Amino acid sequence: MNEHTYRQFDSELEAVRSGVLKMGGLVETQVANAMEGLKSGNIALLDQVIESDHRINLLEMQIDEECNHIIAKRQPTAVDLRLVMTVVKSASDLERIGDEAKKIAKAAKRLHGGDQPIAPRVELGHSADIALEMLRGALDGFARADASSLNTIKLQDAEVDANFKGTMRQLITFMMEDPRTITNSLDLLFIAKSIERIGDHAKNIAEFVVFLVQGSDVRYEKSIAKEAARNKES
């Protein structure tokens, strides 16, 4: 490729990289607004989250199209190919986080707009804050091509998972003790699960950053290690 073509290629790569960061910022706002709407009962804010979901979907489609163009036209190799693959996979996880924000907003609307006033008190804000911190850390690592935050994000993910299990046990107890809480308890459980899934998707992005920087796939390290040990024993 000549110098002009190289500059075009670099510009195209920067465009899809910037697209992921733009999408990440929008997704972060969606999650924060959904949780704020849940806390405050601001139905207009919850409606805004639900209605804005299509913007995230369109961004993912645009990024996919641009990446397909790069692969077809530029045939990238080595770190450039890893960047394109990381962009595609990260955009997919961001789109799913957007879906979870929409689910939270819909459940929050049911909780605040329903006829059943009895809702168990469970703490969801702390886990949501951790999940958002994970997302910010993963996106920051992507922006700086720095994979050093993965271990911290894994520890945060374990905390979010543990909090979800604790919330689930609480809600099951509430439902058993007072059947009138079942409807609202289920909505709270759906929200708790969405928060847990947001953490999972953020961890995925952090793992893709490791692939981008180091060229190694660390998503299934435990499964690979277990399989290797099983094969060794046999």
Side-chain angles (χ1 to χ4, degrees), residues 118-145:
I118 301 174
R121 288 187 173 274
V122 291
E123 172 55 48
L124 298 175
H126 179 61
S127 286
D129 288 342
I130 297 172
L132 279 172
E133 189 176 335
M134 292 169 66
L135 177 58
R136 294 186 196 105
L139 290 170
D140 183 61
F142 173 79
R144 296 185 294 109

Side-chain angles (χ1 to χ4, degrees), residues 223-234:
S223 298
I224 293 170
K226 287 180 181 179
E227 186 64 24
R230 191 178 297 113
N231 292 336
K232 188 175 180 180
E233 291 173 358
S234 59

Side-chain angles (χ1 to χ4, degrees), residues 43-62:
I43 301 300
L45 185 60
L46 295 171
D47 283 334
Q48 179 183 319
V49 172
I50 295 167
E51 292 165 6
S52 296
D53 182 61
H54 75 281
R55 293 174 58 198
I56 297 172
N57 298 337
L58 290 175
L59 272 174
E60 186 199 14
M61 290 175 61
Q62 179 183 339

Side-chain angles (χ1 to χ4, degrees), residues 76-129:
T77 59
V79 68
D80 293 333
L81 179 59
R82 296 206 303 270
L83 173 59
V84 173
M85 293 176 66
T86 299
V87 163
V88 170
K89 292 176 179 179
S90 296
S92 175
D93 272 284
L94 288 172
E95 190 275 333
R96 291 176 185 178
I97 293 175
D99 287 343
E100 298 301 338
K102 183 178 179 180
K103 290 178 186 177
I104 292 171
K106 285 185 172 181
K109 279 192 69 176
R110 291 194 296 269
L111 283 166
H112 287 290
D115 297 327
Q116 176 55 266
I118 301 174
R121 288 187 173 274
V122 291
E123 172 55 48
L124 298 175
H126 179 61
S127 286
D129 288 342

Side-chain angles (χ1 to χ4, degrees), residues 141-185:
F142 173 79
R144 296 185 294 109
D146 180 0
S148 62
S149 63
L150 178 59
N151 287 336
T152 298
I153 288 173
K154 283 183 174 179
L155 291 173
Q156 292 172 316
D157 185 55
E159 183 177 356
V160 171
D161 290 347
N163 288 346
F164 169 69
K165 291 176 182 177
T167 298
M168 182 170 61
R169 287 192 294 268
Q170 276 185 284
L171 290 170
I172 289 172
T173 300
F174 284 132
M175 288 187 282
M176 291 175 65
E177 291 179 348
D178 187 349
R180 293 175 299 170
T181 67
I182 289 176
T183 298
N184 287 342
S185 291

